[in-house]
């Protein structure tokens, strides 16, 4: 059994010794998280292209309820959400892409991400409220 000390000098006695190959180096773990964040943000950026022209015209003309958030809040909130989604996807990826559960989780994440981007195109790009509601229902089921 290996005994070591942490930064404060306290003795650490691990329950079991891990093989060095079971944990990826920090650089590759952070790299996978960074890749997942960049991919997620890229999808968000592409879907925002459908939104950009409609915010000040079509969307502004919609009758919205009193509790609808102000338009300026969507950019920061969605950017933060996409970054957190990417971090989560990267952490799942770090669990090991060879594991069937990891592949399944990342596959479902990719489907959800594509559907999320498609909603923006359907709602803002095509102005199809009924289609957006149907697509939103599919997204809800996938949660």
């Amino acid at each position: 059994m290996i005994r070591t000390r942490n930064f404060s000098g306290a003795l650490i006695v691990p329950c079991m010794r891990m093989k060095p190959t079971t944990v990826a180096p920090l650089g590759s773990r952070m790299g996978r998280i960074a890749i997942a964040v960049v991919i997620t943000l890229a999808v968000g950026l592409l879907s925002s292209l459908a939104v950009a022209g409609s915010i000040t015209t079509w969307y502004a003309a919609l009758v919205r309820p009193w509790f609808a958030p102000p338009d300026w809040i969507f950019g920061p909130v969605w950017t933060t959400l996409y970054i957190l989604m990417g971090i989560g996807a990267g952490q799942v990826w770090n669990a090991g892409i060879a594991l069937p559960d990891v592949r399944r989780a990342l596959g479902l994440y990719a489907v959800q991400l594509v559907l999320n981007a498609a909603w923006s195109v359907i709602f803002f790009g095509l102005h199809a409220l009924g289609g957006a509601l149907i697509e939103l229902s599919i997204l809800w089921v996938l949660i």
Side-chain angles (χ1 to χ4, degrees):
M1 184 175 340
I2 297 175
R3 294 171 188 237
T4 187
R5 295 192 180 273
N6 67 9
F7 292 114
S8 66
L11 185 63
I12 300 171
V13 181
C15 295
M16 57 187 262
R17 184 176 180 176
M18 295 179 66
K19 296 178 184 177
T21 57
T22 59
V23 177
L26 180 61
S28 63
R29 287 185 289 158
M30 293 304 290
R32 284 190 286 272
I33 289 173
I35 290 168
V37 168
V38 168
I39 290 170
T40 304
L41 285 173
V43 170
L45 176 66
L46 290 173
S47 67
S48 74
L49 296 176
V51 173
S54 295
I55 292 292
T56 57
T57 56
W58 177 78
Y59 184 70
L62 289 177
V63 177
R64 294 175 276 173
W66 62 269
F67 56 85
D71 295 345
W72 64 267
I73 199 83
F74 288 103
V77 167
W78 277 102
T79 301
T80 302
L81 181 62
Y82 272 62
I83 289 169
L84 293 173
M85 288 167 47
I87 291 170
Q91 289 176 329
V92 170
W93 186 5
N94 280 332
I97 197 70
L99 299 172
D101 287 344
V102 169
R103 287 195 308 273
R104 184 175 32 252
L106 290 176
L108 288 171
Y109 173 73
V111 168
Q112 179 272 336
L113 196 59
V114 168
L115 287 172
N116 200 333
W119 183 87
S120 296
V121 173
I122 294 167
F123 185 79
F124 288 102
L126 302 174
H127 306 161
L129 301 179
L133 181 61
I134 292 168
E135 206 271 351
L136 185 62
S137 300
I138 295 168
L139 271 171
W140 185 259
V141 169
L142 289 178
I143 294 174

